Amino acid sequence: MSTESQKLVEMRGITKRYPGVVANEDVTFDVEYGEVHTLLGENGAGKSTLMKILFGLTPADEGEVLLRGEPISISSPADAIDARIGMVHQHFMLVQPLTVAENVALGLRSGRRPFTDLDVVSKRIHELSEAHGLAVDPSTEVWRLSVGERQRVEILKALYRDAELLVLDEPTAVLTPQEVDDLFVILRHMVDDGRGLIFISHKLHEVMSLSDRITVLRNGRVVGSTTPAESTRESLAEMMVGREVLLTPRKPVLAAGRPRLSIRDLSITGDRGAVSVDNLSVEVHAGEILGVAGVSGNGQRELAEAIAGLRPVDAGTIQIDGTDITRATTASRREAGLAYVPEERMRDGAIGEFTVSENLVLVNHGSSEFAKRGLFSHAAIRKHSEDKVNEYGVKTPTVDTPTSSLSGGNIQKVIMARELGVKPGILLACQPTRGVDIGSAEYIHRRLIEQRSEGAGTLLISEDLDEVLGLADRIAVMFEGRIVAIVDAADAKREAIGLMMAGVLDD
Amino acid sequence: MGDFFTASVLVATIASGVRLATPYLLAGLGETIGQKSGVLNLGVDGVMQLSAFFAYYTVLKTGNLWYGSLAAIGVGLVMGLIYAVITIEFEATQGISGIGIFILGLGLSDLLFRELVGTPKPIRRLPSVDIPLLSDIPKVGEALFQHNLLTYTAFVFVPLSVLLLSRTTFGLNVRAVGENPHAADSLGVSVERTRYAAILIGNAMAGLAGAALVLGLGIFQPNLTQGLGFIAVALVYFGSWRPAGVMAGALLYGMVNATVLQWKALNIIPVSGSVLANMAPAVITIVALAFLARRGSAPAALSQPFSRH
Ligand SMILES: Nc1ncnc2c1ncn2[C@@H]1O[C@H](COP(=O)(O)OP(=O)(O)OP(=O)(O)O)[C@@H](O)[C@H]1O
Ligand SMILES: [Mg+2]
């Protein structure tokens, strides 16, 4: 396929400065034909920035890019696509009111110009989803899809365009273990075809299983390269963070207390008009973390939104500490002690144009701590924000930086800091460490365990089965809108839960 | 009141309603396309006035109604280009820039009229063209199929804009760019080019709306629209960004307007002291639409300038 020396892509001496941060400093990085090269690094290390430069989304201040041995200037995504570079972005790049087929067709040359050829595109999507096990209906509007399904659409978009160099910026953050396995089979196929792949993930076992080479970035610089054969998860973690990391959380044994969140006979209609939560009952007790495991699209999102007050319920009740909140406003739910970490952080969790500091006090800026006689006490807000930023290790130049300019994992940390900061009675956490680096995930897990010890109840909805297994006291498996089993985490087996998530039950 | 409900008066009222709806339908459809791409254009009224003047002036000088219409489209395109450069190249706030275009159109048409024409002189009006067969249907034919060509054009543009927005690649780009320009950009769709095109199409239609207004009246006077071009912007909201909705709104406005005129003619309401009656059509339309309109949601990126971070 290639001469021995010619690389598919070479980035040389790339430097990129943003106000107050050097996102990339003299980074040299390459990908060979037929290779998966993983970029590893903490939140804010500069991985996405490097990839945005490669894809023409932002210009580098210094450095050059060689594609197939030739210097190339990529100043827009259109240039990158012409050069057969594809990218699955860290945050969804989907047009919500458009259908899956329309999202895929966007920017493609239609065979029936000036008209679209959506039927042709849909047919090809069907073929691709059959071939790769990426089930998704081309005629559904994207806003109706779960995040897992949206991720599939993003991957389909890239597959459809048949890129030779494919960048995947945290494509697995919202996928289930089974989906990840399927994806890796597809990716391996692509690589065996001689294509090159750049992979970014915070999940070390994925990195170990998929990569041919691994390059670690820290604070914008390359700190080293290695291969899975030469490393262990622990050594990678240490290389990234610069200290030893505890990969499995340790939690004290607690006796479960009184019920704090009680859900009875809850039924909810989903966006597609079908029943998405079906007569579901469950209780979360004080001092307990109840993990909900399930393939995305089985009602978890609707359940979470109903508890948070963002979606009406058809029947049933939701109580916090005995108070009925089934139809309460979001504000009175918060007063009742609910905190909420939504799965879609950019849409529901933070306001991008607001500063880090404003987002940190978003739920309680009216409290006496931050406001006096209706006016903000800026000093108190600033002090609080700076404390939180330090405590959670949020990488941001200042607390007055617009939140949208933070790296993905750092935005997640801002949300976690805010929601845990209010000392909730009930914490509803959806994918709490999605996209968070292992060092910070360790910290967030520790905080989750701490507030568990303080008597809070936690409903943890996560597609990261390792996270659920590591943190939860009990695991509820959700399938087609019902809880099909609740097992004690102590005697839960990964494989058994995986099977139940797929609807296979043996009793 | 009884006089109003005679068949001939009703038919005449409907016919005049359709005629009065035409400019707002044209401008509203144009505004819809612009807004679908994420660009709010508050300058429609100014564009209508200036193109109305140029249409008038061209017909005055050449006697040719089609040259007049073309001149109006040309003015729309030039104004659109100015607006596009201001809002896309310089990323200026769309709301204020649109008001600027409105004032420019209003002031310039007034100035040019006084400099070049002075006292209003009538010009030829667009003749009505009977549609063969259809216009022979009793009553209905007279109400709907005996209009001028720009009126037919406006109504033909309704399905055409539906087709453009929902079936063409350009329409797909427009919708994507209006909802999530970053996503469109990441797939190689040029946000700038798409918005330029949408603005130009929208303003060309506003220009044609000016022509329809002045060539329907056969006379120009300063501040011809009396600010009613803004109705076109309102129609887009009430029509939930759908051409059919815009058409329904424009027709409602036209009908209310025609009814008021007819009532005045029949002395059902007094002609003098009719400030209220003059305002009535706009007010009634807006109130009615506010209640009737189906809640649609605005394009998510409406009025936001685009730039890559
Ligand atoms: N548009 C921007 N404006 C200002 N600063 C930015 C911008 N984009 C990124 N940064 C900064 O550049 C640094 C690197 O960010 P980047 O998104 O590349 O990190 P990352 O390695 O992808 O992190 P994560 O794992 O959280 O996604 C961060 O400190 C971030 O705050
Ligand atoms: Mg990133």
mmCIF file of all heavy atoms in Angstrom, chain A residues 55 57 75-77 81 89 93-95 97-98 102-103 106-107 110 114-116 157 161, chain B residues 163 166-170 172-173 175-176 179-180 182-189 308-309:
data_model
loop_
_atom_site.group_PDB
_atom_site.id
_atom_site.type_symbol
_atom_site.label_atom_id
_atom_site.label_comp_id
_atom_site.label_asym_id
_atom_site.label_seq_id
_atom_site.Cartn_x
_atom_site.Cartn_y
_atom_site.Cartn_z
ATOM 1 N N PHE A 55 -8.241 19.080 10.996
ATOM 2 C CA PHE A 55 -9.495 19.074 10.250
ATOM 3 C C PHE A 55 -9.867 20.466 9.710
ATOM 4 O O PHE A 55 -10.933 20.653 9.150
ATOM 5 C CB PHE A 55 -10.617 18.526 11.142
ATOM 6 C CG PHE A 55 -11.824 18.058 10.382
ATOM 7 C CD1 PHE A 55 -11.742 16.984 9.508
ATOM 8 C CD2 PHE A 55 -13.050 18.695 10.526
ATOM 9 C CE1 PHE A 55 -12.855 16.552 8.797
ATOM 10 C CE2 PHE A 55 -14.177 18.262 9.822
ATOM 11 C CZ PHE A 55 -14.072 17.192 8.960
ATOM 12 N N LEU A 57 -10.494 23.215 11.397
ATOM 13 C CA LEU A 57 -11.456 23.981 12.192
ATOM 14 C C LEU A 57 -10.806 25.160 12.895
ATOM 15 O O LEU A 57 -11.493 26.098 13.291
ATOM 16 C CB LEU A 57 -12.135 23.073 13.222
ATOM 17 C CG LEU A 57 -13.239 22.197 12.656
ATOM 18 C CD1 LEU A 57 -13.606 21.094 13.631
ATOM 19 C CD2 LEU A 57 -14.464 23.033 12.316
ATOM 20 N N SER A 75 -7.498 24.632 5.465
ATOM 21 C CA SER A 75 -7.990 25.810 6.169
ATOM 22 C C SER A 75 -9.484 25.738 6.445
ATOM 23 O O SER A 75 -10.057 26.669 7.001
ATOM 24 C CB SER A 75 -7.655 27.074 5.381
ATOM 25 O OG SER A 75 -8.215 26.982 4.099
ATOM 26 N N SER A 76 -10.126 24.657 6.048
ATOM 27 C CA SER A 76 -11.543 24.504 6.387
ATOM 28 C C SER A 76 -11.878 23.021 6.370
ATOM 29 O O SER A 76 -11.167 22.229 5.756
ATOM 30 C CB SER A 76 -12.418 25.230 5.366
ATOM 31 O OG SER A 76 -12.426 24.495 4.164
ATOM 32 N N PRO A 77 -12.974 22.641 7.020
ATOM 33 C CA PRO A 77 -13.384 21.237 6.956
ATOM 34 C C PRO A 77 -13.589 20.769 5.513
ATOM 35 O O PRO A 77 -13.351 19.602 5.200
ATOM 36 C CB PRO A 77 -14.704 21.226 7.732
ATOM 37 C CG PRO A 77 -14.589 22.356 8.670
ATOM 38 C CD PRO A 77 -13.835 23.415 7.933
ATOM 39 N N ILE A 81 -12.187 17.330 4.081
ATOM 40 C CA ILE A 81 -13.028 16.288 3.481
ATOM 41 C C ILE A 81 -12.519 15.974 2.071
ATOM 42 O O ILE A 81 -12.435 14.812 1.678
ATOM 43 C CB ILE A 81 -14.505 16.740 3.466
ATOM 44 C CG1 ILE A 81 -15.032 16.819 4.903
ATOM 45 C CG2 ILE A 81 -15.368 15.774 2.663
ATOM 46 C CD1 ILE A 81 -16.334 17.569 5.050
ATOM 47 N N HIS A 89 -16.578 14.177 15.881
ATOM 48 C CA HIS A 89 -16.224 15.214 16.842
ATOM 49 C C HIS A 89 -16.611 14.822 18.258
ATOM 50 O O HIS A 89 -17.508 14.027 18.473
ATOM 51 C CB HIS A 89 -16.897 16.530 16.457
ATOM 52 C CG HIS A 89 -16.507 16.995 15.089
ATOM 53 N ND1 HIS A 89 -15.527 17.915 14.872
ATOM 54 C CD2 HIS A 89 -16.938 16.611 13.871
ATOM 55 C CE1 HIS A 89 -15.381 18.095 13.574
ATOM 56 N NE2 HIS A 89 -16.222 17.322 12.945
ATOM 57 N N MET A 93 -22.115 16.851 16.200
ATOM 58 C CA MET A 93 -22.258 17.832 15.134
ATOM 59 C C MET A 93 -23.478 17.413 14.322
ATOM 60 O O MET A 93 -23.367 16.966 13.190
ATOM 61 C CB MET A 93 -21.012 17.818 14.251
ATOM 62 C CG MET A 93 -19.814 18.430 14.908
ATOM 63 S SD MET A 93 -20.008 20.226 14.998
ATOM 64 C CE MET A 93 -18.333 20.675 15.429
ATOM 65 N N LEU A 94 -24.630 17.491 14.967
ATOM 66 C CA LEU A 94 -25.844 17.029 14.319
ATOM 67 C C LEU A 94 -26.861 18.159 14.284
ATOM 68 O O LEU A 94 -26.893 18.996 15.175
ATOM 69 C CB LEU A 94 -26.428 15.835 15.085
ATOM 70 C CG LEU A 94 -25.554 14.583 15.085
ATOM 71 C CD1 LEU A 94 -26.073 13.564 16.085
ATOM 72 C CD2 LEU A 94 -25.490 13.973 13.696
ATOM 73 N N VAL A 95 -27.674 18.155 13.251
ATOM 74 C CA VAL A 95 -28.733 19.144 13.138
ATOM 75 C C VAL A 95 -30.006 18.489 13.652
ATOM 76 O O VAL A 95 -30.579 17.627 13.005
ATOM 77 C CB VAL A 95 -28.903 19.611 11.683
ATOM 78 C CG1 VAL A 95 -29.891 20.765 11.621
ATOM 79 C CG2 VAL A 95 -27.562 20.018 11.094
ATOM 80 N N PRO A 97 -33.336 19.070 14.200
ATOM 81 C CA PRO A 97 -34.655 18.859 13.585
ATOM 82 C C PRO A 97 -34.586 18.062 12.280
ATOM 83 O O PRO A 97 -35.612 17.680 11.758
ATOM 84 C CB PRO A 97 -35.163 20.274 13.298
ATOM 85 C CG PRO A 97 -34.152 21.198 13.846
ATOM 86 C CD PRO A 97 -32.901 20.454 14.101
ATOM 87 N N LEU A 98 -33.404 17.842 11.752
ATOM 88 C CA LEU A 98 -33.295 17.099 10.498
ATOM 89 C C LEU A 98 -33.263 15.601 10.776
ATOM 90 O O LEU A 98 -32.891 15.156 11.852
ATOM 91 C CB LEU A 98 -32.024 17.497 9.734
ATOM 92 C CG LEU A 98 -31.877 18.963 9.319
ATOM 93 C CD1 LEU A 98 -30.708 19.111 8.353
ATOM 94 C CD2 LEU A 98 -33.135 19.492 8.685
ATOM 95 N N GLU A 102 -30.970 13.098 6.353
ATOM 96 C CA GLU A 102 -30.603 14.459 5.980
ATOM 97 C C GLU A 102 -29.265 14.857 6.596
ATOM 98 O O GLU A 102 -28.440 15.512 5.951
ATOM 99 C CB GLU A 102 -31.699 15.443 6.400
ATOM 100 C CG GLU A 102 -32.934 15.358 5.521
ATOM 101 C CD GLU A 102 -34.080 16.236 6.011
ATOM 102 O OE1 GLU A 102 -34.277 16.359 7.242
ATOM 103 O OE2 GLU A 102 -34.799 16.788 5.170
ATOM 104 N N ASN A 103 -29.064 14.430 7.831
ATOM 105 C CA ASN A 103 -27.789 14.729 8.471
ATOM 106 C C ASN A 103 -26.629 14.067 7.743
ATOM 107 O O ASN A 103 -25.560 14.645 7.608
ATOM 108 C CB ASN A 103 -27.795 14.279 9.926
ATOM 109 C CG ASN A 103 -28.272 15.371 10.859
ATOM 110 O OD1 ASN A 103 -27.505 16.267 11.202
ATOM 111 N ND2 ASN A 103 -29.525 15.325 11.250
ATOM 112 N N LEU A 106 -25.982 15.774 4.230
ATOM 113 C CA LEU A 106 -25.520 17.152 4.249
ATOM 114 C C LEU A 106 -24.092 17.259 3.717
ATOM 115 O O LEU A 106 -23.203 16.560 4.167
ATOM 116 C CB LEU A 106 -25.597 17.667 5.690
ATOM 117 C CG LEU A 106 -25.570 19.165 5.908
ATOM 118 C CD1 LEU A 106 -26.695 19.838 5.159
ATOM 119 C CD2 LEU A 106 -25.680 19.454 7.389
ATOM 120 N N GLY A 107 -23.910 18.147 2.742
ATOM 121 C CA GLY A 107 -22.569 18.369 2.216
ATOM 122 C C GLY A 107 -22.152 17.363 1.162
ATOM 123 O O GLY A 107 -21.129 17.544 0.511
ATOM 124 N N SER A 110 -25.275 15.317 -4.383
ATOM 125 C CA SER A 110 -26.445 14.498 -4.692
ATOM 126 C C SER A 110 -26.382 14.042 -6.138
ATOM 127 O O SER A 110 -25.919 14.773 -7.012
ATOM 128 C CB SER A 110 -27.710 15.318 -4.447
ATOM 129 O OG SER A 110 -28.782 14.779 -5.176
ATOM 130 N N PRO A 114 -30.580 19.590 -8.847
ATOM 131 C CA PRO A 114 -30.469 20.303 -7.568
ATOM 132 C C PRO A 114 -31.271 19.647 -6.442
ATOM 133 O O PRO A 114 -31.320 20.190 -5.348
ATOM 134 C CB PRO A 114 -31.049 21.675 -7.882
ATOM 135 C CG PRO A 114 -32.091 21.394 -8.912
ATOM 136 C CD PRO A 114 -31.569 20.246 -9.737
ATOM 137 N N PHE A 115 -31.897 18.520 -6.719
ATOM 138 C CA PHE A 115 -32.698 17.907 -5.656
ATOM 139 C C PHE A 115 -31.847 16.959 -4.823
ATOM 140 O O PHE A 115 -30.798 16.494 -5.267
ATOM 141 C CB PHE A 115 -33.895 17.171 -6.260
ATOM 142 C CG PHE A 115 -34.830 18.098 -6.975
ATOM 143 C CD1 PHE A 115 -34.807 18.202 -8.356
ATOM 144 C CD2 PHE A 115 -35.681 18.915 -6.258
ATOM 145 C CE1 PHE A 115 -35.640 19.096 -9.011
ATOM 146 C CE2 PHE A 115 -36.515 19.811 -6.905
ATOM 147 C CZ PHE A 115 -36.498 19.902 -8.285
ATOM 148 N N THR A 116 -32.331 16.681 -3.621
ATOM 149 C CA THR A 116 -31.612 15.729 -2.774
ATOM 150 C C THR A 116 -31.961 14.308 -3.219
ATOM 151 O O THR A 116 -32.977 14.082 -3.875
ATOM 152 C CB THR A 116 -32.031 15.894 -1.305
ATOM 153 O OG1 THR A 116 -33.452 15.908 -1.250
ATOM 154 C CG2 THR A 116 -31.508 17.183 -0.720
ATOM 155 N N LYS A 157 -21.942 8.820 9.570
ATOM 156 C CA LYS A 157 -21.552 9.939 8.703
ATOM 157 C C LYS A 157 -20.124 9.759 8.208
ATOM 158 O O LYS A 157 -19.822 9.971 7.039
ATOM 159 C CB LYS A 157 -21.659 11.257 9.480
ATOM 160 C CG LYS A 157 -22.974 11.961 9.312
ATOM 161 C CD LYS A 157 -23.230 12.991 10.401
ATOM 162 C CE LYS A 157 -22.232 14.124 10.471
ATOM 163 N NZ LYS A 157 -22.548 15.075 11.565
ATOM 164 N N ARG A 161 -18.714 8.608 4.242
ATOM 165 C CA ARG A 161 -17.821 9.424 3.431
ATOM 166 C C ARG A 161 -16.528 8.720 3.070
ATOM 167 O O ARG A 161 -15.715 9.258 2.350
ATOM 168 C CB ARG A 161 -17.535 10.743 4.155
ATOM 169 C CG ARG A 161 -18.713 11.663 4.023
ATOM 170 C CD ARG A 161 -18.669 12.828 4.966
ATOM 171 N NE ARG A 161 -19.777 13.740 4.684
ATOM 172 C CZ ARG A 161 -21.052 13.494 4.963
ATOM 173 N NH1 ARG A 161 -21.379 12.371 5.552
ATOM 174 N NH2 ARG A 161 -21.990 14.357 4.648
ATOM 175 N N LEU B 163 -40.790 23.393 -2.014
ATOM 176 C CA LEU B 163 -39.933 22.482 -2.770
ATOM 177 C C LEU B 163 -38.454 22.829 -2.554
ATOM 178 O O LEU B 163 -37.623 21.970 -2.271
ATOM 179 C CB LEU B 163 -40.288 22.608 -4.258
ATOM 180 C CG LEU B 163 -39.881 21.467 -5.152
ATOM 181 C CD1 LEU B 163 -40.712 20.243 -4.806
ATOM 182 C CD2 LEU B 163 -40.086 21.843 -6.618
ATOM 183 N N SER B 166 -37.462 21.958 1.135
ATOM 184 C CA SER B 166 -37.500 20.580 1.641
ATOM 185 C C SER B 166 -36.925 19.549 0.682
ATOM 186 O O SER B 166 -36.606 18.450 1.097
ATOM 187 C CB SER B 166 -38.925 20.199 2.036
ATOM 188 O OG SER B 166 -39.744 20.261 0.898
ATOM 189 N N ARG B 167 -36.781 19.905 -0.585
ATOM 190 C CA ARG B 167 -36.376 18.871 -1.519
ATOM 191 C C ARG B 167 -35.020 19.089 -2.191
ATOM 192 O O ARG B 167 -34.502 18.174 -2.838
ATOM 193 C CB ARG B 167 -37.432 18.724 -2.636
ATOM 194 C CG ARG B 167 -38.710 18.080 -2.191
ATOM 195 C CD ARG B 167 -38.488 16.602 -1.884
ATOM 196 N NE ARG B 167 -39.422 16.121 -0.890
ATOM 197 C CZ ARG B 167 -40.685 15.796 -1.162
ATOM 198 N NH1 ARG B 167 -41.147 15.889 -2.388
ATOM 199 N NH2 ARG B 167 -41.478 15.378 -0.203
ATOM 200 N N THR B 168 -34.476 20.281 -2.093
ATOM 201 C CA THR B 168 -33.221 20.518 -2.817
ATOM 202 C C THR B 168 -32.039 20.481 -1.851
ATOM 203 O O THR B 168 -32.195 20.648 -0.639
ATOM 204 C CB THR B 168 -33.228 21.894 -3.519
ATOM 205 O OG1 THR B 168 -33.264 22.900 -2.511
ATOM 206 C CG2 THR B 168 -34.437 22.029 -4.428
ATOM 207 N N THR B 169 -30.866 20.256 -2.407
ATOM 208 C CA THR B 169 -29.666 20.263 -1.567
ATOM 209 C C THR B 169 -29.448 21.668 -1.001
ATOM 210 O O THR B 169 -29.031 21.814 0.142
ATOM 211 C CB THR B 169 -28.414 19.848 -2.362
ATOM 212 O OG1 THR B 169 -28.402 20.536 -3.596
ATOM 213 C CG2 THR B 169 -28.405 18.371 -2.631
ATOM 214 N N PHE B 170 -29.775 22.677 -1.811
ATOM 215 C CA PHE B 170 -29.639 24.037 -1.299
ATOM 216 C C PHE B 170 -30.540 24.234 -0.085
ATOM 217 O O PHE B 170 -30.116 24.782 0.945
ATOM 218 C CB PHE B 170 -29.962 25.052 -2.397
ATOM 219 C CG PHE B 170 -30.025 26.464 -1.894
ATOM 220 C CD1 PHE B 170 -28.868 27.120 -1.499
ATOM 221 C CD2 PHE B 170 -31.242 27.131 -1.772
ATOM 222 C CE1 PHE B 170 -28.924 28.420 -1.005
ATOM 223 C CE2 PHE B 170 -31.305 28.424 -1.281
ATOM 224 C CZ PHE B 170 -30.140 29.070 -0.904
ATOM 225 N N LEU B 172 -31.654 21.984 1.955
ATOM 226 C CA LEU B 172 -31.106 21.209 3.072
ATOM 227 C C LEU B 172 -29.978 22.001 3.743
ATOM 228 O O LEU B 172 -29.913 22.106 4.970
ATOM 229 C CB LEU B 172 -30.588 19.860 2.564
ATOM 230 C CG LEU B 172 -29.968 18.916 3.594
ATOM 231 C CD1 LEU B 172 -30.971 18.569 4.682
ATOM 232 C CD2 LEU B 172 -29.458 17.648 2.922
ATOM 233 N N ASN B 173 -29.115 22.587 2.901
ATOM 234 C CA ASN B 173 -28.033 23.407 3.451
ATOM 235 C C ASN B 173 -28.588 24.588 4.235
ATOM 236 O O ASN B 173 -28.108 24.908 5.324
ATOM 237 C CB ASN B 173 -27.126 23.923 2.332
ATOM 238 C CG ASN B 173 -26.314 22.815 1.695
ATOM 239 O OD1 ASN B 173 -26.287 21.702 2.195
ATOM 240 N ND2 ASN B 173 -25.658 23.111 0.595
ATOM 241 N N ARG B 175 -31.465 24.869 5.784
ATOM 242 C CA ARG B 175 -32.026 24.454 7.071
ATOM 243 C C ARG B 175 -30.933 24.088 8.071
ATOM 244 O O ARG B 175 -31.002 24.416 9.248
ATOM 245 C CB ARG B 175 -32.982 23.270 6.877
ATOM 246 C CG ARG B 175 -34.313 23.685 6.262
ATOM 247 C CD ARG B 175 -35.250 22.513 6.080
ATOM 248 N NE ARG B 175 -34.810 21.623 5.018
ATOM 249 C CZ ARG B 175 -34.930 20.301 5.060
ATOM 250 N NH1 ARG B 175 -35.456 19.712 6.105
ATOM 251 N NH2 ARG B 175 -34.528 19.571 4.044
ATOM 252 N N ALA B 176 -29.903 23.414 7.566
ATOM 253 C CA ALA B 176 -28.822 22.992 8.454
ATOM 254 C C ALA B 176 -28.078 24.203 9.013
ATOM 255 O O ALA B 176 -27.794 24.289 10.205
ATOM 256 C CB ALA B 176 -27.864 22.078 7.707
ATOM 257 N N GLU B 179 -29.958 25.979 11.691
ATOM 258 C CA GLU B 179 -30.130 25.260 12.951
ATOM 259 C C GLU B 179 -28.818 25.059 13.675
ATOM 260 O O GLU B 179 -28.723 25.246 14.883
ATOM 261 C CB GLU B 179 -30.754 23.880 12.689
ATOM 262 C CG GLU B 179 -32.217 23.907 12.336
ATOM 263 C CD GLU B 179 -33.103 24.314 13.502
ATOM 264 O OE1 GLU B 179 -32.663 24.210 14.663
ATOM 265 O OE2 GLU B 179 -34.236 24.753 13.240
ATOM 266 N N ASN B 180 -27.830 24.594 12.951
ATOM 267 C CA ASN B 180 -26.547 24.290 13.576
ATOM 268 C C ASN B 180 -25.422 24.530 12.578
ATOM 269 O O ASN B 180 -24.949 23.600 11.927
ATOM 270 C CB ASN B 180 -26.537 22.842 14.059
ATOM 271 C CG ASN B 180 -25.317 22.521 14.890
ATOM 272 O OD1 ASN B 180 -24.337 23.272 14.889
ATOM 273 N ND2 ASN B 180 -25.344 21.405 15.590
ATOM 274 N N HIS B 182 -22.370 25.054 12.913
ATOM 275 C CA HIS B 182 -21.115 24.340 13.141
ATOM 276 C C HIS B 182 -21.167 22.936 12.550
ATOM 277 O O HIS B 182 -20.188 22.455 11.988
ATOM 278 C CB HIS B 182 -20.801 24.285 14.635
ATOM 279 C CG HIS B 182 -20.447 25.634 15.184
ATOM 280 N ND1 HIS B 182 -19.228 26.217 14.967
ATOM 281 C CD2 HIS B 182 -21.182 26.523 15.884
ATOM 282 C CE1 HIS B 182 -19.212 27.417 15.531
ATOM 283 N NE2 HIS B 182 -20.392 27.622 16.095
ATOM 284 N N ALA B 183 -22.330 22.285 12.691
ATOM 285 C CA ALA B 183 -22.464 20.945 12.117
ATOM 286 C C ALA B 183 -22.364 21.012 10.597
ATOM 287 O O ALA B 183 -21.669 20.206 9.972
ATOM 288 C CB ALA B 183 -23.797 20.330 12.535
ATOM 289 N N ALA B 184 -23.039 21.989 10.011
ATOM 290 C CA ALA B 184 -22.975 22.123 8.558
ATOM 291 C C ALA B 184 -21.535 22.378 8.117
ATOM 292 O O ALA B 184 -21.039 21.758 7.178
ATOM 293 C CB ALA B 184 -23.884 23.263 8.104
ATOM 294 N N ASP B 185 -20.884 23.277 8.823
ATOM 295 C CA ASP B 185 -19.494 23.612 8.507
ATOM 296 C C ASP B 185 -18.608 22.371 8.582
ATOM 297 O O ASP B 185 -17.752 22.151 7.721
ATOM 298 C CB ASP B 185 -19.015 24.682 9.494
ATOM 299 C CG ASP B 185 -17.561 25.083 9.258
ATOM 300 O OD1 ASP B 185 -17.240 25.441 8.115
ATOM 301 O OD2 ASP B 185 -16.765 25.032 10.217
ATOM 302 N N SER B 186 -18.843 21.531 9.594
ATOM 303 C CA SER B 186 -17.979 20.370 9.768
ATOM 304 C C SER B 186 -18.155 19.360 8.644
ATOM 305 O O SER B 186 -17.351 18.451 8.491
ATOM 306 C CB SER B 186 -18.267 19.691 11.117
ATOM 307 O OG SER B 186 -19.449 18.928 11.036
ATOM 308 N N LEU B 187 -19.209 19.515 7.841
ATOM 309 C CA LEU B 187 -19.384 18.613 6.706
ATOM 310 C C LEU B 187 -19.030 19.305 5.395
ATOM 311 O O LEU B 187 -19.356 18.825 4.315
ATOM 312 C CB LEU B 187 -20.822 18.101 6.657
ATOM 313 C CG LEU B 187 -21.178 17.164 7.819
ATOM 314 C CD1 LEU B 187 -22.642 16.812 7.794
ATOM 315 C CD2 LEU B 187 -20.331 15.901 7.760
ATOM 316 N N GLY B 188 -18.376 20.437 5.503
ATOM 317 C CA GLY B 188 -17.900 21.105 4.300
ATOM 318 C C GLY B 188 -18.927 22.003 3.640
ATOM 319 O O GLY B 188 -18.699 22.517 2.556
ATOM 320 N N VAL B 189 -20.081 22.206 4.282
ATOM 321 C CA VAL B 189 -21.066 23.134 3.734
ATOM 322 C C VAL B 189 -20.622 24.550 4.089
ATOM 323 O O VAL B 189 -20.327 24.825 5.247
ATOM 324 C CB VAL B 189 -22.463 22.878 4.340
ATOM 325 C CG1 VAL B 189 -23.456 23.935 3.897
ATOM 326 C CG2 VAL B 189 -22.946 21.493 3.967
ATOM 327 N N ARG B 308 -15.982 30.183 13.275
ATOM 328 C CA ARG B 308 -15.375 28.999 13.890
ATOM 329 C C ARG B 308 -14.585 29.426 15.105
ATOM 330 O O ARG B 308 -13.970 30.479 15.101
ATOM 331 C CB ARG B 308 -14.373 28.376 12.915
ATOM 332 C CG ARG B 308 -15.032 27.619 11.822
ATOM 333 C CD ARG B 308 -13.963 26.934 10.980
ATOM 334 N NE ARG B 308 -14.577 26.586 9.719
ATOM 335 C CZ ARG B 308 -14.088 26.879 8.542
ATOM 336 N NH1 ARG B 308 -12.926 27.505 8.438
ATOM 337 N NH2 ARG B 308 -14.709 26.547 7.450
ATOM 338 N N HIS B 309 -14.581 28.595 16.148
ATOM 339 C CA HIS B 309 -13.688 28.945 17.256
ATOM 340 C C HIS B 309 -12.314 28.393 16.949
ATOM 341 O O HIS B 309 -12.179 27.228 16.712
ATOM 342 C CB HIS B 309 -14.142 28.355 18.588
ATOM 343 C CG HIS B 309 -15.609 28.518 18.846
ATOM 344 N ND1 HIS B 309 -16.182 29.744 19.014
ATOM 345 C CD2 HIS B 309 -16.600 27.608 18.928
ATOM 346 C CE1 HIS B 309 -17.484 29.572 19.211
ATOM 347 N NE2 HIS B 309 -17.762 28.298 19.157
#
